[in-house]
Amino acid sequence: MRRLMIAAAALALGLIGAAEARAAESAGPLPSVDFPHIGVFGQYDKAALKRGLQVYREVCSSCHGLHYVAFRTLSALGMSEAEIKEVAASFKVTDGPDAEGEMFERDGRPSDRIPSPFKNDNAARAANNGAMPPDLSLVTKGRNGHEGYIYAILTGYQDPPEGFTLGDGMSYNAYFPGHQIAMPQPLSDGQVTYADGTEATVATMSHDVTTFLAWAAEPELEERKATGLKVLIFIGVLTAILYAINVRVWSRVT
Amino acid sequence: MSTPVPRNKVAQWIEYRLPIFSWANHNLIDFPEPKNLNYWWNFGSLAGIILVIQIITGIVLAMHYTPHVDHAFDSVERIMRDVEWGWLIRYIHMNGASMFFAVVYIHIFRGMYYGSYKSPREILWWLGIILLFLIMGTAFMGYVLPWGQMSFWAATVITNLVSAIPWIGETLRDWLWGGFSVDNPTLNRFFSLHYLLPFVIVGVVILHIWALHHRRSNNPLGIDVKSAKDTIPFHPYYTVRDLFGLGAMLFVLFVFVFFVPNMLGETINYVKADPLQTPPHIVPEWYFLPYYAILRAIPDKLGGVVAMVASIAILFILPWLDTSKVRSARFRPIYKQLFWVFVADCFVLGWVGANPPEGSFVWIGQICTIYYFAHFLIILPILGKLERPRPLPDSIHEAVLKKRGGAPAVQPAATMEKH
Ligand code: HEM
């Protein structure tokens, strides 16, 4: 039985290792960054989540929406109902049609989802040099390299190498496929003033907003891992008992 | 063991009208199984349990899912976020599909190793292959439902294969699509069929088990059961063992579900389907990779499709391609080695299928494809004639005693083996 449990545990660890190796290798050589929520028991860094939300609100939200994230779910970041109401109200949401048949804008409510600042995709393209700023709700889940890649994009703005011709309004990014990105460098040192006094370097802001986007993509992560641990202990013990019964029953057979 | 006639009055009343108690007793309690089955015999029951898990989680998912190109992706994301434990249901269903294939593949390799496809189990074997086709169809259509980038593009690539059929191919493909590309009608019919097929699978599983219970299980020695001494009742021996196997499988499944739920999936399927943007690499899920490698190994489109279908269909005639009279590889010294070469060949094909068809992957894929078919069409027919099998034991009972080191009355103590 013990051999079996060890084999199962080894298998599990091997698989997790393989998954992380795969996540790291897939988008080429990304800078190595650690996120506390990655790994078997990892949980989100709550302070980083709050700072990340601040970066998102003050910088990214002028181009990107979070279509799948409802304001009410920000309670997971430790925000009170009043704070959530205030955050929601700082966004404009299109509603309607009203009694006259017109669409109108109103302040956001906790039940709304974090809207895109643009009326539609074409408006978003028109405002961004023809490129579409994607919705960010699933961006850490939907890109090879995951968190590491997002962090790399945000910190990867550089001067183009000798002889590299950039298109009009494009920027050079070391990690974006093809190196030409339509998103102008969004972050520069000191761009936000963190409420908790943390120094707002590009690296910190990128790390924080990436943590926030990881939460936006996988809000269930903490509950998932905590439940998983209990379930595995339960199944593990049950299986061990079943194995013992199995051995006992079979010892009668000659 | 329990008596065939129930003691309880209500049970007696029912039994008189519908003999379910004696039926259950015959098939699940007293049913005689060879007493030497090993753990590789667990995988049939595991496949059955996974099928039930898939059906239950699938029905719950269908309560919240919307089969429309504009809403499918959103409804899945809503299941992940707003439905109570929705993420758990979805991750079990998603990883359950992978588990299903892993279990069924082991089950099939078990059959190949111990010669379970040979007389009198050919129809049992055929029903198994039909099940494999049905499971593949179900999994493929299920993968299209979340309407991510890979859902859409895999559906486009695979349904386009139909157009390789001469004359009617393109008409057939458009009929399958319900239009001129993979679109809303395609998604609707795939949803309908994805709901239907698992119940067809249940029906075929019933036939599969009917055939199994008619001619009974094979065993690791591959020799027939000769007397009651060779068997033990299904309960409690195989019920506890199957329960233990279930626990072990659930442990593995839950490691994936709770800790690396997206490891086996494609990252890009979390991007909503976009018919105008082809992803750089279109790859199927891992369980289709060997077939994908065979498909691409043949330079001709129609030829590739034929080879891919043939790679499974060839299993139908395996009972006649293998000319050896001995079932179990234990007594076939050369086949035993070549079996593992064949398994390795399948793994290499899977690895080739995961990579772009460039450089050395091209010729490695072609050689492995040739070997795959040669295993069935050349090696097995000839090997059965050339190989000298080792002597078979007289009975299961005797072989078991010898292995356990117990002393049978008829055997002198001197021949005992220490275990
Ligand atoms: C839905 C999928 C399937 C289910 C639920 C299923 C279920 C079962 C069960 C419960 C058994 C008896 C236990 C055992 O011997 O492991 C069995 C036996 C068997 N199955 Fe399957 N099976 C499935 C798919 C397949 C496939 C795809 C094949 C082969 C192509 C196959 C071939 C066999 C054979 C040959 C046996 C008899 C094995 C022996 O006793 O040696 N099965 N199946």
Side-chain angles (χ1 to χ4, degrees):
Chain A
M1 176 184 77
R2 194 186 295 149
R3 238 185 302 157
L4 228 122
M5 300 301 284
I6 292 172
L11 182 73
L13 288 178
L15 288 171
I16 291 164
E20 278 172 13
R22 185 177 116 158
E25 107 209 340
S26 44
L30 297 173
S32 79
V33 260
D34 269 343
F35 288 91
H37 64 269
I38 294 178
V40 183
F41 303 115
Q43 304 280 308
Y44 290 119
D45 174 347
K46 293 289 176 324
L49 281 181
K50 280 194 160 175
R51 291 196 301 268
L53 170 65
Q54 191 184 345
V55 176
Y56 170 75
R57 279 178 74 186
E58 292 181 18
V59 185
C60 323
S61 71
S62 59
C63 295
H64 297 280
L66 285 171
H67 177 61
Y68 296 112
V69 181
F71 289 109
R72 61 181 159 75
T73 61
L74 291 173
S75 59
L77 273 55
M79 298 181 89
S80 70
E81 227 169 290
E83 284 174 304
I84 291 173
K85 272 197 179 133
E86 185 230 296
V87 174
S90 69
F91 285 80
K92 289 277 174 259
V93 175
T94 308
D95 202 347
D98 63 11
E100 270 73 52
E102 301 298 329
M103 301 301 280
F104 60 91
E105 291 218 321
R106 59 163 173 79
D107 289 351
R109 304 187 193 118
S111 59
D112 288 322
R113 284 153 198 276
I114 302 181
S116 159
F118 303 105
K119 279 205 174 61
N120 48 54
D121 289 359
N122 285 355
R125 282 205 178 84
N128 285 285
N129 232 332
M132 163 75 187
D135 184 86
L136 294 183
S137 341
L138 283 167
V139 82
T140 59
K141 241 177 158 180
R143 294 287 185 281
N144 287 325
H146 305 281
E147 285 88 336
Y149 169 74
I150 305 302
Y151 177 85
I153 286 288
L154 296 174
T155 53
Y157 284 85
Q158 294 168 1
D159 290 332
E162 204 73 33
F164 189 97
T165 38
L166 275 176
D168 229 15
M170 303 294 262
S171 306
Y172 184 86
N173 191 302
Y175 303 102
F176 192 69
H179 300 302
Q180 285 208 66
I181 189 164
M183 164 164 73
Q185 178 165 12
L187 298 169
S188 50
D189 287 337
Q191 179 144 0
V192 303
T193 311
Y194 276 137
D196 66 2
T198 306
E199 197 193 333
T201 61
V202 169
T204 324
M205 286 184 291
S206 301
H207 199 271
D208 291 344
V209 78
T210 303
T211 305
F212 172 71
L213 292 177
W215 170 81
E218 297 192 282
E220 88 297 343
L221 177 140
E222 302 198 333
E223 188 187 21
R224 170 157 63 71
K225 289 179 182 173
T227 314
L229 190 61
K230 286 183 218 151
V231 169
L232 286 191
I233 291 173
F234 175 78
I235 300 269
V237 170
L238 186 72
T239 306
I241 293 172
L242 285 169
Y243 183 72
I245 298 174
N246 177 44
V247 169
R248 184 75 175 272
V249 165
W250 274 86
S251 67
R252 301 205 288 257
V253 178
T254 45
Chain B
M1 299 306 110
S2 54
T3 43
V5 180
R7 282 201 208 102
N8 178 295
K9 278 267 162 21
V10 179
Q12 275 174 7
W13 187 89
I14 296 171
E15 173 75 18
Y16 184 72
R17 285 151 182 87
L18 181 72
I20 48 170
F21 293 97
S22 53
W23 180 87
N25 186 67
H26 171 72
N27 284 292
L28 302 170
I29 312 280
D30 284 349
F31 191 78
E33 285 278 358
K35 62 186 188 183
N36 62 334
L37 299 188
N38 57 28
Y39 282 104
W40 298 114
W41 263 259
N42 275 46
F43 288 85
S45 83
L46 292 180
I49 293 167
I50 290 244
L51 180 60
V52 174
I53 293 175
Q54 290 302 89
I55 288 178
I56 293 172
T57 52
I59 288 174
V60 177
L61 287 173
M63 292 174 184
H64 303 279
Y65 170 78
T66 313
H68 187 285
V69 290
D70 294 335
H71 306 292
F73 190 85
D74 287 21
S75 69
V76 170
E77 211 38 53
R78 220 154 267 205
I79 290 169
M80 294 296 292
R81 291 160 192 264
D82 296 342
V83 174
E84 286 285 331
W85 298 102
W87 58 266
L88 179 58
I89 302 285
R90 170 159 183 254
Y91 278 159
I92 292 177
H93 197 75
M94 225 168 93
N95 289 283
S98 281
M99 200 78 207
F100 204 161
F101 278 95
V103 164
V104 166
Y105 284 151
I106 294 174
H107 188 63
I108 295 173
F109 280 129
R110 185 282 315 263
M112 289 180 159
Y113 187 84
Y114 294 110
S116 298
Y117 48 83
K118 293 185 190 183
S119 176
R121 296 184 184 83
E122 297 93 328
I123 293 186
L124 172 62
W125 177 251
W126 288 349
L127 289 165
I129 301 158
I130 293 169
L131 283 171
L132 179 61
F133 274 122
L134 287 169
I135 296 164
M136 289 173 64
T138 308
F140 167 65
M141 288 191 266
Y143 190 65
V144 176
L145 300 183
W147 211 245
Q149 270 289 62
M150 204 53 89
S151 300
F152 178 87
W153 288 100
T156 301
V157 170
I158 300 302
T159 49
N160 250 317
L161 294 178
V162 176
S163 70
I165 300 171
W167 305 106
I168 55 162
E170 303 206 349
T171 316
L172 199 63
R173 179 196 61 192
D174 294 351
W175 176 76
L176 209 67
W177 281 345
F180 297 104
S181 66
V182 173
D183 207 336
N184 204 45
T186 326
L187 178 58
N188 272 248
R189 61 193 57 187
F190 277 20
F191 179 51
S192 170
L193 292 174
H194 184 69
Y195 210 135
L196 170 70
L197 283 187
F199 297 95
V200 176
I201 294 175
V202 171
V204 181
V205 168
I206 290 171
L207 294 179
H208 189 73
I209 294 175
W210 186 9
L212 173 76
H213 279 203
H214 185 55
R215 281 295 153 231
R216 308 272 169 85
S217 293
N218 184 26
N219 65 79
L221 296 171
I223 57 176
D224 289 330
V225 166
K226 297 207 173 95
S227 70
K229 271 164 113 190
D230 292 345
T231 68
I232 43 172
F234 191 77
H235 181 74
Y237 298 103
Y238 289 108
T239 41
V240 282
R241 190 186 272 185
D242 280 347
L243 280 175
F244 162 63
L246 172 62
M249 179 187 76
L250 288 181
F251 192 91
V252 176
L253 175 61
F254 285 141
V255 167
F256 279 92
V257 166
F258 288 105
F259 294 99
V260 279
N262 296 302
M263 183 183 138
L264 298 170
E266 274 301 313
T267 304
I268 201 169
N269 223 30
Y270 282 104
V271 177
K272 194 171 172 168
D274 182 354
L276 299 178
Q277 202 176 4
T278 319
H281 302 292
I282 301 176
V283 276
E285 294 289 87
W286 70 267
Y287 39 79
F288 292 138
L289 289 174
Y291 316 111
Y292 197 51
I294 291 175
L295 170 76
R296 296 189 304 184
I298 316 272
D300 173 64
K301 188 172 173 188
L302 179 61
V305 175
V306 170
M308 184 173 70
V309 175
S311 68
I312 300 175
I314 201 167
L315 296 174
F316 280 115
I317 52 168
L318 175 58
W320 297 275
L321 291 175
D322 181 350
T323 49
S324 171
K325 292 278 171 288
V326 175
R327 290 198 192 101
S328 173
R330 272 198 197 169
F331 304 102
R332 299 185 58 189
I334 305 175
Y335 175 70
K336 191 177 183 166
Q337 317 267 333
L338 292 177
F339 168 83
W340 290 110
V341 175
F342 176 73
V343 173
D345 188 65
C346 293
F347 273 95
V348 176
L349 279 170
W351 172 64
V352 169
N355 283 287
E358 310 156 348
S360 22
F361 289 117
V362 177
W363 63 263
I364 298 176
Q366 286 170 340
I367 289 179
C368 288
T369 301
I370 293 170
Y371 186 83
Y372 182 96
F373 286 104
H375 176 83
F376 292 107
L377 294 173
I378 300 171
I379 296 177
L380 288 185
I382 297 175
L383 189 63
K385 303 262 193 279
L386 297 185
E387 189 180 39
R388 290 185 86 241
R390 291 173 36 215
L392 298 175
D394 287 337
S395 75
I396 294 173
H397 177 66
E398 217 171 84
V400 169
L401 274 183
K402 216 169 142 193
K403 192 172 162 216
R404 294 234 161 83
V410 288
Q411 250 176 334
T415 63
M416 268 171 49
E417 264 175 51
K418 221 107 206 160
H419 166 56

